[in-house]
Amino acid sequence: MPPRRPLANLWQESAAETFRAPALVEDAEADLLIIGGGYSGCAAALAAAQAGAKVALLEARTIGHGGSGRNVGLVNAGLWMPPEEINAALGIAAGEALTATLAQAPDRVFNLIETHGISCEATRAGTLHCAHGPAGLKDLESRHAQLSARGAPVRLLDAAETARRTGSPRFPGALFDPRAGTIQPLAYVRGLARAATAAGAHIYEHSPAVRLTRSAGAWQADTAGGTLRAPRLLLATNAYHAATGGQPAPAHVPVHYFQLATAPLGDRGAAILQGGEGAWDTALVMSSFRRDAAGRLIIGGIGSLEHGAGIAHRDWAARKLAQLFPALAGTPLHHAWHGRIAMTGDHVPRILSLGEGALALFGYSGRGIGPGTVFGEAAAQALVSGDASALPLAPVEHHSEPAAGLRAAWYEAGATLTHLLGARF
């Protein structure tokens, strides 16, 4: 059973990249003001600074404090749902364009890592989408057909090959995507921030924007220590938007995802994901598992560890570990943490127009690394150049998520019930 201990985020302890920035303590001006120091905000700051813009980024806490530093670390191609569902949500032309753009997202992430020497345990060995049962296998067959028709080099694996790759006999098959990989997610976003600073961007930590307004042709963010003004604005707070006077939070459904990690397993873990892949399953209440560079096994699932029922999630993780890998039954789980995901009703991200020269990016629905990086870079290009044609999605003027609080509670209740009953056999 996992130890009952305060949350300890493994990524904060193991990140090889460090980053520190001062708080804003003066009034300043920039060409582009970015609010939010996650993947989108830092990728945008880097791209805009490299394009010659004067960039200022405000982060309320520290770089990667939100979902970017709590991520599973799977660098996947595309979105969570298959192409035909994306087309149904956006229309064929827009859907196919988005699918094609995000098919290249892992290339962009790993290119940035190489170019800027980001030390983030980058491993491009693909990912395994594992069937949790017969229905899941049918889903993977459909995904394989849709992706293959669009030129993706994915492979559908049988039970034997899946067992060999995962180290577990529990899955009847898996979809292998060689375009994908894994990273240490907090180290990656810190590396982006480091590179952005080297390119000339000004980053301020511990500087929450308490008010955001527009006047005299510029956007102004007020903080406790000073103000920043710029003609162009990118709001990249996603699921961690803090209360800001003058600007409501982009509408989304908050969903939590937790992870627990073993100590380094050494030879005991040699047969688990021996090729270095990351994995997740097709279950409605999905779960994931991967290894890090030190050989720890990290297992995760939907749910929050903050409330009393978080014990159910921790206990489920211990049972799931034993179910997937019987030889590891009883292995202590030494780290436990969770993050918040910004979900949209159709699981498609949004680019929201906030007014003249201002965009908000949000709603990655559990696919923050690749899409977050690509959307951030594209938004920076569009805002700096004034040309929105390169955006991966057309901006919308409004976005709503009816009954977001009730839906969030439903997700958490469903995950808790599933974990109370699951992985017992």
Side-chain angles (χ1 to χ4, degrees):
M1 179 180 296
R4 309 303 185 204
R5 55 177 288 181
L7 301 184
N9 186 337
L10 169 64
W11 304 138
Q12 293 176 357
E13 295 185 12
S14 67
E17 290 277 349
T18 60
F19 184 84
R20 297 288 186 276
L24 180 68
V25 293
E26 60 184 358
D27 296 342
E29 295 187 353
D31 299 320
L32 173 63
L33 167 61
I34 300 170
I35 299 178
Y39 300 129
S40 291
C42 291
L46 173 57
Q50 288 179 322
K54 184 178 180 180
V55 180
L57 184 152
L58 294 176
E59 164 54 45
R61 302 286 290 274
T62 57
I63 293 298
H65 169 79
S68 298
R70 303 164 190 270
N71 199 282
V72 177
L74 304 183
V75 186
N76 282 303
L79 295 175
W80 177 61
M81 67 279 215
E84 289 179 8
E85 290 185 23
I86 298 173
N87 291 353
L90 298 177
I92 293 176
E96 292 294 341
L98 182 60
T99 294
T101 295
L102 295 184
Q104 301 175 45
D107 285 341
R108 189 60 193 141
V109 170
F110 287 104
N111 284 344
L112 284 168
I113 291 168
E114 181 177 3
T115 298
H116 298 287
I118 300 175
S119 181
C120 61
E121 304 180 14
T123 304
R124 198 167 188 184
T127 53
L128 295 165
H129 194 179
C130 301
H132 74 288
L137 188 57
K138 288 186 177 297
D139 175 51
L140 294 183
E141 291 170 349
S142 174
R143 289 172 182 265
H144 177 261
Q146 292 180 44
L147 291 168
S148 296
R150 291 160 175 84
V154 293
R155 290 177 49 209
L156 193 62
L157 310 182
D158 62 17
E161 179 69 2
T162 301
R164 186 187 69 79
R165 286 176 176 255
T166 62
S168 173
R170 301 290 301 192
F171 305 110
L175 186 63
F176 173 62
D177 190 340
R179 300 171 296 177
T182 62
I183 58 173
Q184 211 279 17
L186 179 57
Y188 171 59
V189 72
R190 286 178 176 175
L192 289 177
R194 170 178 58 76
T197 300
H202 297 273
I203 295 178
Y204 302 96
E205 295 183 313
H206 302 292
S207 300
V210 296
R211 185 163 181 80
L212 186 60
T213 55
R214 182 172 174 81
S215 63
W219 291 91
Q220 177 171 311
D222 299 324
T223 75
T227 65
L228 272 169
R229 286 178 60 84
R232 293 175 286 277
L233 166 71
L234 177 62
L235 189 64
T237 50
N238 200 32
Y240 283 79
H241 186 85
T244 304
Q247 187 64 52
H252 65 273
V253 178
V255 176
H256 291 90
Y257 198 90
F258 67 87
Q259 296 176 81
L260 294 97
T262 69
L265 295 173
D267 291 342
R268 297 176 64 207
I272 299 172
L273 297 170
Q274 57 185 302
E277 308 94 338
W280 79 104
D281 66 24
T282 58
L284 180 62
V285 179
M286 65 162 284
S287 60
S288 60
F289 59 100
R290 58 160 296 190
R291 297 176 66 189
D292 72 353
R296 299 178 182 90
L297 183 64
I298 305 159
I299 188 165
I302 294 174
S304 169
L305 300 178
E306 281 187 337
H307 53 72
I311 293 173
H313 301 317
R314 289 174 176 247
D315 290 348
W316 166 86
R319 296 195 307 273
K320 186 72 172 180
L321 181 69
Q323 182 190 70
L324 292 177
F325 310 108
L328 298 183
T331 299
L333 294 164
H334 291 279
H335 294 81
W337 70 101
H338 70 266
R340 197 158 61 238
I341 296 168
M343 298 280 285
T344 61
D346 55 12
H347 308 302
V348 175
R350 290 294 187 277
I351 302 177
L352 181 65
S353 174
L354 300 176
E356 185 178 353
L359 299 172
L361 308 176
F362 63 98
Y364 299 120
S365 299
R367 285 291 178 95
I369 299 175
T373 299
V374 168
F375 272 57
E377 290 187 318
Q381 178 182 344
L383 289 167
V384 169
S385 69
D387 180 7
S389 63
L391 288 172
L393 279 175
V396 296
E397 298 293 330
H398 304 284
H399 178 73
S400 63
E401 290 289 341
L406 288 175
R407 288 158 63 195
W410 181 84
Y411 277 116
E412 182 62 34
T416 300
L417 181 60
T418 298
H419 290 160
L420 279 169
L421 302 175
R424 292 186 178 275
F425 305 100

